Amino acid sequence: MDPRDLWTEALAGVLARPVRSALTTLGTVLGIATLVITIGVASTAGNQIVGRFDALTATSVTVTVPPPPDGSDGKPLVDWSGTDAVRRLTGVESVAALADSVATNSIQVRSNDVKAPGDVSGQTLAVVAASADLPTGVRGAMAGGRFYDSGDIGRHAQVAVLGDQAARLLGISRVQDSPAIFFQGQSYTVIGILGGIKREQRLSTAVMLPPTTAADRLGLRDVTRVLVNTEMGAARQVARQTPIALSPGQEKSLTVTAPADLSKARDGVQSDVNGLFLVLGLVSLVVGAIGIANVTLVTVMERVGEIGLRRALGASRRQVAGQFLLESTTIGLLGGIVGAALGIAVVVCVAVFKQWTPVLDLSLAFGAPVAGALVGLLAGLYPSLRAARMEPVDALRAPS
């Protein structure tokens, strides 16, 4: 029998009972679709883990500066001007320095200097010194007024900026009238309110002073923390270079906090998703294979007379087996194609819904139909061999 004739007969056998063939392919469709969805969603999630990962954490580097070591004549490990060297590093978007102490973490701050009975304007707040670029360092924005600048720092101006929560506690909602706050016998003009703080959120309930003013009035001279914001993917490199830029020769004395390696997180997500759903896909494929095997076997039993006639007209055992094997393979191939298309559509829909970029491997798209055909081939082995073993005389005598 010519291969083209064999293919024509097999296709006619599949299309002769379209409903049964459609139901038979359903198991393969579900199995292939589950596998495609599993691998596609896992790949997409793994590719998007950097974006879905907390961007603030992934681009934040914090350097903790210890007190000056003994024998250093009180010279700090990091100077306020040391942030300029960090700012020049590749991948750095912004950098800010902070200074605080145990003594300044709880200071009674008042919004007026008159202590009247029942007055609740006094609040216990933290007072810190910060460089002029603190708003970008904490990824915040001015809710009112302005942040102090290099001119204020150079003049040792007695000005202050309040965190938004601190301003609310003190009853200050606007700075146009130059309100003042009082603590430790000194007055400070409030020139701005800083809100939307995403890093060092405790600063929302703090009072921020220029470094020179804080050094004169509170003794806050030494930098205790440096906040560095980086471009995505540059955090770990910047974390290695920042201590050297801040304190050459003494970089090992500084403590650097950097985000975890995102590639490991991506691999972990993909591995977890694959492990969770891969078994489901394999079970669906097994169910599909069993369905194909059962229907092919039933088809063989229903077409015993046809098999006998073909054998009597000269068809060989190989040709009979090949016909039924090709029918089951065709059913599996169709199931693989439909399942792959369905799975790809689901992956794209999930990506669109989650606002991700879908990631689809071409080998997966083309390999899924092949996998379906392989399932159909294996499922049809036994029924096709049983059809091939039938003797023509016995097959013709059997009712059909």
Side-chain angles (χ1 to χ4, degrees):
M1 182 181 294
D2 188 89
R4 289 177 297 180
D5 295 334
L6 184 62
W7 168 255
T8 302
E9 291 293 337
L11 188 60
V14 172
L15 298 179
R17 299 174 178 82
V19 176
R20 174 187 291 182
S21 299
L23 293 176
T24 305
T25 60
L26 185 60
T28 306
V29 168
L30 294 178
I32 294 297
T34 303
L35 286 178
V36 172
I37 292 171
T38 298
I39 300 175
V41 170
S43 299
T44 301
N47 186 67
Q48 297 298 322
I49 189 62
V50 174
R52 295 295 297 171
F53 197 88
D54 189 350
L56 175 62
T57 303
T59 58
S60 300
V61 175
T62 302
V63 180
T64 303
V65 184
D70 296 336
S72 61
D73 297 328
K75 183 179 180 181
L77 291 173
V78 176
D79 189 74
W80 286 96
S81 61
T83 56
D84 294 336
V86 178
R87 195 174 289 107
R88 291 192 292 268
L89 296 176
T90 302
V92 172
E93 291 186 343
S94 63
V95 57
L98 286 170
D100 59 5
S101 67
V102 176
T104 61
N105 282 338
S106 300
I107 293 181
Q108 190 72 16
V109 181
R110 302 177 61 83
S111 58
N112 62 64
D113 60 351
V114 178
K115 297 182 179 179
D119 184 13
V120 294
S121 61
Q123 299 289 337
T124 301
L125 303 174
V127 180
V128 302
S131 58
D133 40 17
L134 183 69
T136 56
V138 297
R139 301 182 186 270
M142 298 306 299
R146 66 177 180 87
F147 206 81
Y148 48 79
D149 54 22
S150 57
D152 297 315
I153 295 175
R155 292 192 304 269
H156 296 233
Q158 280 192 236
V159 295
V161 174
L162 301 178
D164 54 354
Q165 296 300 317
R168 184 180 63 81
L169 292 173
L170 294 172
I172 298 176
S173 59
R174 50 185 299 176
V175 298
Q176 285 78 3
D177 298 331
S178 300
I181 57 174
F182 305 85
F183 55 89
Q184 293 190 350
Q186 300 288 334
S187 65
Y188 301 85
T189 301
V190 178
I191 61 173
I193 299 175
L194 180 61
I197 298 174
K198 296 181 176 63
R199 291 189 64 181
E200 297 286 331
Q201 293 185 358
R202 69 184 191 89
L203 294 179
S204 62
T205 56
V207 178
M208 289 149 275
L209 302 179
T212 52
T213 305
D216 296 340
R217 307 297 177 179
L218 301 175
L220 288 177
R221 295 180 173 83
D222 300 336
V223 175
T224 56
R225 282 191 315 287
V226 177
L227 310 178
V228 184
N229 295 316
T230 72
E231 297 175 358
M232 186 67 74
R236 297 189 68 81
Q237 176 182 343
V238 171
R240 291 192 296 268
Q241 298 173 346
T242 297
I244 302 175
L246 287 173
S247 184
Q250 295 181 304
E251 63 273 8
K252 293 184 179 180
S253 300
L254 307 181
T255 302
V256 182
T257 303
D261 188 357
L262 296 184
S263 62
K264 294 182 179 179
R266 182 192 299 111
D267 294 340
V269 169
Q270 186 166 348
S271 176
D272 291 343
V273 175
N274 281 339
L276 183 62
F277 292 104
L278 191 57
V279 174
L280 179 60
L282 293 176
V283 170
S284 299
L285 276 181
V286 171
V287 172
I290 294 175
I292 293 175
N294 286 336
V295 173
T296 305
L297 185 58
V298 170
T299 302
V300 170
M301 296 296 100
E302 290 178 346
R303 296 163 63 184
V304 170
E306 176 188 339
I307 295 171
L309 182 59
R310 289 183 182 277
R311 291 296 311 279
L313 293 176
S316 66
R317 295 180 185 273
R318 178 181 300 178
Q319 291 171 342
V320 172
Q323 178 183 343
F324 287 95
L325 197 60
L326 190 56
E327 287 184 15
S328 64
T329 303
T330 301
I331 292 176
L333 178 62
L334 293 175
I337 294 173
V338 176
L342 179 62
I344 292 173
V346 171
V347 171
V348 172
C349 291
V350 170
V352 171
F353 179 76
K354 292 289 187 179
Q355 296 183 347
W356 292 349
T357 300
V359 177
L360 295 170
D361 191 352
L362 286 178
S363 61
L364 175 64
F366 291 106
V370 176
L374 182 61
V375 169
L377 177 66
L378 296 177
L381 280 176
Y382 173 72
S384 61
L385 292 176
R386 180 164 180 174
R389 292 194 187 102
M390 290 185 181
E391 294 295 336
V393 175
D394 296 334
L396 289 173
R397 288 176 178 172
S400 60

